[in-house]
Amino acid sequence: MVLKTFGWSFGVTAVGLAAAAFFWGWEAFVLVLMLSILEISLSFDNAVVNAGVLKKMNAFWQKIFLTIGILIAVFGMRLVFPVVIVAITAKVGPIEAVEVALDNPDRYEQLVTDAHPSIAAFGGMFLLMIFLDFIFDEREHKWIGWLERPLSRLGKVNGLSVCLALIVLLVVAVTIATGAHQHGGMHADKSGTVMLSGIAGLITYLIVGGLSGHFEDKLEEEEEREHEAEEAAKRAGKDPSMVGLAGKAAFFMFLYLEVLDASFSFDGVIGAFAITNHIFWMALGLGIGAMYVRSLTVYLVRQGTLDDYVYLEHGAHYAIGALAAILLITIKYEIHEVITGSIGVLLIATSFWSSVRRNRRLEAEGGGDDSGGGEGESKESEVTSGV
């Protein structure tokens, strides 16, 4: 089952890492490996969300999403989009960006370095909003209870995440951005550029979130109609399982999943810039991550149940928050890519281990669920507060 589902992902991983080592050496191998691990871990949340919606669709729409949808995610967002980002920020054509990366690596590095404040501000704000919206949301499970409980209560204030993100952007623009790093070791005042790019990142997040919410509302409406159709089928003595989500509901699901895929893909692309500026190393790591999105989605759908490692989502979002902070800091200060990649991997690995400990504790207590609040939630908080 595992080999059948993850076979292609394993194969792409082996080929990608081998290509990195063969063409660029062991440094590229290590960075692509770190980027791949980070992408695979961050893709887990995407796969869980995809599987939760995809399992309601009929076989035709499942196949459409797992073929056309993944092709869009792999080749559109993860391979083409990094080139577009560099082309826009460096003010060159996409073809020229690729040609410069191939024929004149020093010139390409100069373009990326000079464009880095724009990329970092745009991506840092986008990722920061994702982290803030997650940490301010009231959730059933809390990984670091002493921190997440008060923040979830603060999250009831409307627009708090946007206000806090704008405050962070203002502070970065008037402090860090005044001495932004440029090619050749020089520094320049990039306050205006950072402000504009950061606001653009915030607007982009709000648009993507708005589209996701719109499609989610449509999905709920269609599910209500679907439920009414099932009830009517039961009253008519027909098999309700024959009423499949194959019409508008499935179409809205497909659009909703594509928006979510684009959002998660964007996270990966922006996060990759915090680890490396090398366009081909990014493409390898992001491509490997996209393959695992598909494999994890298929695996979860075929298993029929979602994974019960409840803190992985927390670890992934804390990693996103760390990447956001690192991107904003690197506007002025250099941070080694290995450090950046290690922080994300460490956070996700810690959240996985916390999930394992929680599951073992629940099993020892008789298999009860501590997610419903009360005494169980208190015990969970005691365990996770020390993480």
Side-chain angles (χ1 to χ4, degrees), residues 300-374:
L300 293 173
V301 170
R302 288 177 177 174
Q303 288 291 100
T305 57
L306 298 179
D307 201 288
D308 61 350
Y309 297 107
V310 296
Y311 301 133
L312 271 178
E313 185 178 10
H314 296 72
H317 280 83
Y318 278 107
I320 288 174
L323 286 177
I326 289 171
L327 276 171
L328 295 175
I329 292 172
T330 56
I331 292 175
K332 182 176 182 179
Y333 304 101
E334 293 188 31
I335 299 178
H336 199 280
E337 293 89 345
V338 174
I339 297 176
T340 304
S342 299
I343 290 174
V345 172
L346 179 62
L347 284 168
I348 294 167
T350 304
S351 67
F352 174 79
W353 176 240
S354 296
S355 301
V356 172
R357 289 174 57 195
R358 169 188 177 274
N359 294 342
R360 288 177 179 174
R361 178 173 56 82
L362 289 178
E363 184 177 353
E365 292 176 353
D369 187 358
D370 63 354
S371 63

Side-chain angles (χ1 to χ4, degrees), residues 138-213:
E138 179 64 42
R139 297 189 172 275
E140 182 179 6
H141 301 285
K142 292 177 175 59
W143 182 31
I144 306 177
W146 61 268
L147 175 64
E148 295 173 10
R149 280 193 297 270
L151 290 178
S152 64
R153 288 193 289 268
L154 286 175
K156 296 177 181 179
V157 178
N158 292 332
L160 180 61
S161 58
V162 175
C163 291
L164 184 56
L166 287 173
I167 292 172
V168 170
L169 178 60
L170 180 61
V171 172
V172 170
V174 300
T175 56
I176 295 177
T178 56
H181 179 72
Q182 293 287 279
H183 183 72
M186 300 177 61
H187 292 81
D189 188 349
K190 292 283 186 177
S191 300
T193 300
V194 167
M195 281 293 294
L196 289 175
S197 299
I199 291 174
L202 177 60
I203 292 173
T204 301
Y205 173 82
L206 294 176
I207 291 174
V208 171
L211 288 173
S212 298

Side-chain angles (χ1 to χ4, degrees), residues 7-48:
W8 278 101
S9 298
F10 293 154
V12 170
T13 302
V15 172
L17 292 175
F22 180 79
F23 290 106
W24 297 288
W26 289 109
E27 180 184 2
F29 177 88
V30 172
L31 290 179
V32 169
L33 178 61
M34 284 191 168
L35 184 57
S36 301
I37 293 173
L38 183 62
E39 286 299 304
I40 292 168
S41 302
L42 293 176
S43 297
F44 182 87
D45 298 333
N46 195 8
V48 170

Side-chain angles (χ1 to χ4, degrees), residues 26-315:
W26 289 109
E27 180 184 2
F29 177 88
V30 172
L31 290 179
V32 169
L33 178 61
M34 284 191 168
L35 184 57
S36 301
I37 293 173
L38 183 62
E39 286 299 304
I40 292 168
S41 302
L42 293 176
S43 297
F44 182 87
D45 298 333
N46 195 8
V48 170
V49 174
N50 289 348
V53 179
L54 196 65
K55 65 183 181 181
K56 303 176 184 179
M57 302 168 69
N58 65 15
F60 171 78
W61 281 100
Q62 287 185 6
K63 187 175 182 180
I64 290 294
F65 174 75
L66 295 175
T67 52
I68 297 176
I70 295 299
L71 285 175
I72 294 173
V74 174
F75 295 103
M77 289 300 299
R78 287 176 169 89
L79 300 183
V80 176
F81 194 57
V83 178
V84 173
I85 289 180
V86 173
I88 292 175
T89 54
K91 298 179 181 178
V92 298
I95 297 177
E96 183 181 353
V98 175
E99 290 177 347
V100 171
L102 287 172
D103 303 330
N104 193 348
D106 293 337
R107 171 60 178 163
Y108 175 78
E109 182 181 358
Q110 179 181 348
L111 290 174
V112 173
T113 301
D114 292 343
H116 181 74
S118 299
I119 297 173
F122 183 92
M125 291 302 295
F126 186 90
L127 295 179
L128 180 61
M129 281 298 301
I130 293 174
F131 171 71
L132 291 177
D133 276 352
F134 177 85
I135 202 69
F136 284 141
D137 190 22
E138 179 64 42
R139 297 189 172 275
E140 182 179 6
H141 301 285
K142 292 177 175 59
W143 182 31
I144 306 177
W146 61 268
L147 175 64
E148 295 173 10
R149 280 193 297 270
L151 290 178
S152 64
R153 288 193 289 268
L154 286 175
K156 296 177 181 179
V157 178
N158 292 332
L160 180 61
S161 58
V162 175
C163 291
L164 184 56
L166 287 173
I167 292 172
V168 170
L169 178 60
L170 180 61
V171 172
V172 170
V174 300
T175 56
I176 295 177
T178 56
H181 179 72
Q182 293 287 279
H183 183 72
M186 300 177 61
H187 292 81
D189 188 349
K190 292 283 186 177
S191 300
T193 300
V194 167
M195 281 293 294
L196 289 175
S197 299
I199 291 174
L202 177 60
I203 292 173
T204 301
Y205 173 82
L206 294 176
I207 291 174
V208 171
L211 288 173
S212 298
H214 171 74
F215 288 132
E216 189 172 11
D217 291 341
K218 290 291 185 181
L219 177 59
E220 291 176 356
E221 292 176 3
E222 292 298 332
E223 284 182 335
E224 290 180 2
R225 295 192 185 100
E226 172 64 21
H227 179 70
E228 293 174 358
E230 288 181 354
E231 293 298 323
K234 288 180 181 179
R235 290 193 296 269
K238 299 178 181 179
D239 184 2
S241 64
M242 298 301 292
V243 182
L245 293 179
K248 290 183 179 180
F251 178 69
F252 281 124
M253 280 186 183
F254 178 75
L255 293 179
Y256 177 51
L257 287 175
E258 286 305 302
V259 171
L260 287 176
D261 255 357
S263 178
F264 276 92
S265 301
F266 194 85
D267 304 348
V269 172
I270 295 301
F273 277 103
I275 297 177
T276 179
N277 283 330
H278 196 294
I279 196 169
F280 296 110
W281 300 357
M282 288 172 56
L284 286 173
L286 294 170
I288 290 172
M291 289 300 300
Y292 279 90
V293 173
R294 179 188 183 279
S295 295
L296 285 169
T297 301
V298 173
Y299 180 79
L300 293 173
V301 170
R302 288 177 177 174
Q303 288 291 100
T305 57
L306 298 179
D307 201 288
D308 61 350
Y309 297 107
V310 296
Y311 301 133
L312 271 178
E313 185 178 10
H314 296 72

